[in-house]
Amino acid sequence: MICKTVEKHMASLAPLDETITLDDLNRDPFPIYRRLRADSPVLRVKATGRTLLTKAVDTKYVKDHPEIFSSDDPHTPMTRAFQAHTLMRKDGDAHMRERMAMAPAFAPKVIMNEWVPAYRKIAEDYVARLPRGEVVDLFPMLAGPYAARGLAVLLGLDEATDEQMQRWSQNLIDGAGNFGQREELFAVSDKANAEMNVLFDSLQPRHRAAPNNSALAVMLNAEDPIEQSQIYANIKIAIGGGINEPRDALLTILCGLLTNPDQLAEVKKNEDWEKAFEEGIRWVAPISVSARRAIEDTEIRGFLIKKGDSVMTIQASANRDEDIYDNGENYDVYRTVNQHQSFGNGPHFCQGTHVARRAVGQVMLPILFERFPNMSIPNLDNVLWRGFGFRGPVQMPVLLQ
């Protein structure tokens, strides 16, 4: 048994690393994760203020046992960033009540009958405006706006512009990942919260007068609605994670396919776009880390995790664990095992999973390759990856042909 509850402080704390920096993790965490999986799979990292867990069995165990590892982490920057105690930081009935408040918007029939057609129209429109024969950075020109517009429709925020949705998302992400507690980052997220609150207030009359399946409308019109502050917090959580996940997944998958032409040819031939999607989010998890708080003394791999201490599950590392994956550092659509943890597991399994799969795997990828079947990346050195908590290409110039 890897993890167990302990009654006495028999075990010692995990080693403390004072050399790994947040900048290191932001630039390229994978060499660090590879080293930690081999040498120090349980490691306290001073820069994060948490114990990092890099092996798949440990990250899964923590997520699957909320009775030992609570999502209610008072040390996370998320509460300040979102100006609320969000459902992401709640357990049990409190978490389920808020999660279920949005559930009607993510029902399978609603996804297939409303959101997939909406995403398809957006994809066709946004791909059609891309120029043929030119090198275009797909981050600002396609991936970001596409994810923003689709999410705005799903959430019931049609009046928000693509620019606003993307800026708010990044502001919230920067605040939630502000483990260094930099006040200037929180000032930016505070401003974004104020802007979103104004918009949400203005949209209430429309959604109350004409109930619909958007997330904001279903929460406002519920028979037993949750508090308005939590309705707003739920929408903000969706903005924070619902743009970067499909955006970064799309660019990651494109990078994987365009740098592996044999796989791309096979994917086109078999229309294996959803397999390409699953491998992309395994290869580079868009949401790379999660935090949990120990609510009792426990052990992981013989090291003491004291009650109240925070652990950080690194699903980006778990997705490349040598115990599970052969050549996990490589993008391989047709690998025989793909038990990735990119959507999480346990009670906090990502609610937007099925929307993201369809928006990217079923809709955007085939539309994009139909219009530009011979796309290429002219210079891989110009593809710029960034992110520790959330990761993906932030610059990806592609020749569209």
Side-chain angles (χ1 to χ4, degrees):
M1 189 175 184
I2 298 298
C3 178
K4 62 181 179 180
T5 301
V6 293
E7 295 182 358
K8 296 181 180 180
H9 295 180
M10 302 289 291
S12 60
L13 295 173
L16 176 65
D17 183 283
E18 300 186 58
T19 63
I20 297 171
T21 69
L22 292 177
D23 285 342
D24 294 335
L25 294 167
N26 180 59
R27 281 193 302 271
D28 185 6
F30 290 109
I32 297 172
Y33 297 156
R34 189 164 57 246
R35 172 170 58 83
L36 297 190
R37 288 195 302 271
D39 300 332
S40 301
V42 182
L43 183 70
R44 290 182 297 144
V45 175
K46 184 177 181 180
T48 68
R50 287 158 175 74
T51 299
L52 270 59
L53 308 177
T54 50
K55 295 289 287 183
V57 66
D58 300 335
T59 58
K60 186 177 187 304
Y61 187 94
V62 166
K63 298 285 188 63
D64 284 344
H65 288 82
E67 74 280 4
I68 301 175
F69 297 99
S70 171
S71 296
D72 186 5
D73 180 359
H75 307 299
T76 176
M78 183 175 286
T79 300
R80 171 68 193 278
F82 285 82
Q83 295 185 344
H85 190 50
T86 73
L87 81 165
M88 294 297 291
R89 299 271 70 90
K90 294 182 180 180
D91 298 313
D93 293 343
H95 165 257
M96 189 54 63
R97 173 169 163 74
E98 291 192 24
R99 183 182 177 94
M100 294 307 295
M102 281 203 297
F106 295 93
K109 285 186 178 179
V110 174
I111 292 174
M112 292 309 298
N113 295 336
E114 294 194 38
W115 308 141
V116 169
Y119 271 98
R120 181 168 287 111
K121 184 179 187 310
I122 295 165
E124 290 170 347
D125 291 346
Y126 282 31
V127 169
R129 66 190 189 187
L130 294 173
R132 277 196 173 94
E134 296 183 19
V135 175
V136 172
D137 184 354
L138 291 184
F139 182 96
M141 293 298 292
L142 179 66
Y146 172 63
R149 182 53 24 207
L151 187 66
V153 171
L154 188 156
L155 295 181
L157 312 179
D158 306 61
E159 290 83 347
T161 67
D162 293 352
E163 184 279 329
Q164 285 176 315
M165 291 290 289
Q166 292 177 87
R167 177 167 52 81
W168 292 336
S169 178
Q170 194 59 53
N171 294 161
L172 293 173
I173 286 170
D174 290 343
N178 186 18
F179 297 105
Q181 300 290 322
R182 293 165 56 191
E183 192 58 36
E184 63 269 24
L185 292 180
F186 286 137
V188 173
S189 60
D190 287 347
K191 183 174 182 291
N193 273 280
E195 293 174 358
M196 286 183 281
N197 290 341
V198 169
L199 175 64
F200 301 166
D201 288 344
S202 73
L203 293 177
Q204 285 206 37
R206 172 166 74 84
H207 286 305
R208 292 187 187 279
N212 56 80
N213 285 321
S214 71
L216 182 55
V218 300
M219 287 191 288
L220 289 172
N221 295 306
E223 289 186 9
D224 180 23
I226 60 177
E227 299 86 347
Q228 177 176 294
S229 62
Q230 298 311 116
I231 290 175
Y232 285 14
N234 271 4
I235 295 295
K236 291 172 185 176
I237 283 290
I239 292 173
I243 289 180
N244 73 287
E245 193 162 44
R247 177 199 69 199
D248 296 350
L250 173 59
L251 296 177
T252 294
I253 295 159
L254 286 174
C255 187
L257 290 173
L258 295 177
T259 53
N260 291 277
D262 291 345
Q263 292 183 48
L264 175 57
E266 197 68 15
V267 167
K268 287 181 178 179
K269 175 183 174 183
N270 300 318
E271 297 187 343
D272 284 333
W273 302 110
E274 290 185 55
K275 286 185 179 180
F277 173 85
E278 298 298 332
E279 173 62 0
I281 64 171
R282 178 210 65 81
W283 184 43
V284 181
I287 301 177
S288 293
V289 309
S290 303
R292 295 291 187 271
R293 176 177 58 89
I295 57 179
E296 57 188 60
D297 288 349
T298 191
E299 278 185 33
I300 300 180
R301 294 184 183 267
F303 293 111
L304 172 66
I305 308 295
K306 293 193 297 184
K307 178 180 178 180
D309 284 356
S310 296
V311 297
M312 186 169 277
T313 60
I314 312 294
Q315 47 263 22
S317 174
N319 286 351
R320 298 186 176 195
D321 192 337
E322 293 79 5
D323 289 347
I324 298 176
Y325 303 102
D326 293 329
N327 302 313
E329 304 288 322
N330 299 333
Y331 180 85
D332 182 0
V333 174
Y334 296 102
R335 64 175 60 254
T336 55
V337 176
N338 192 351
Q339 302 168 350
H340 68 73
Q341 297 181 25
S342 295
F343 287 125
N345 50 281
H348 283 268
F349 184 79
C350 178
Q351 196 165 34
T353 296
H354 300 300
V355 173
R357 281 193 172 112
R358 285 162 176 75
V360 177
Q362 286 188 3
V363 176
M364 177 53 83
L365 286 171
I367 288 174
L368 186 58
F369 275 100
E370 181 179 6
R371 183 169 177 83
F372 304 109
N374 299 310
M375 281 187 294
S376 62
I377 299 176
N379 187 346
L380 267 177
D381 291 338
N382 291 332
V383 177
L384 183 63
W385 300 77
R386 286 292 182 270
F388 168 46
F390 304 85
R391 188 165 184 83
V394 296
Q395 176 180 293
M396 191 167 155
V398 173
L399 175 59
L400 300 176
Q401 55 186 359

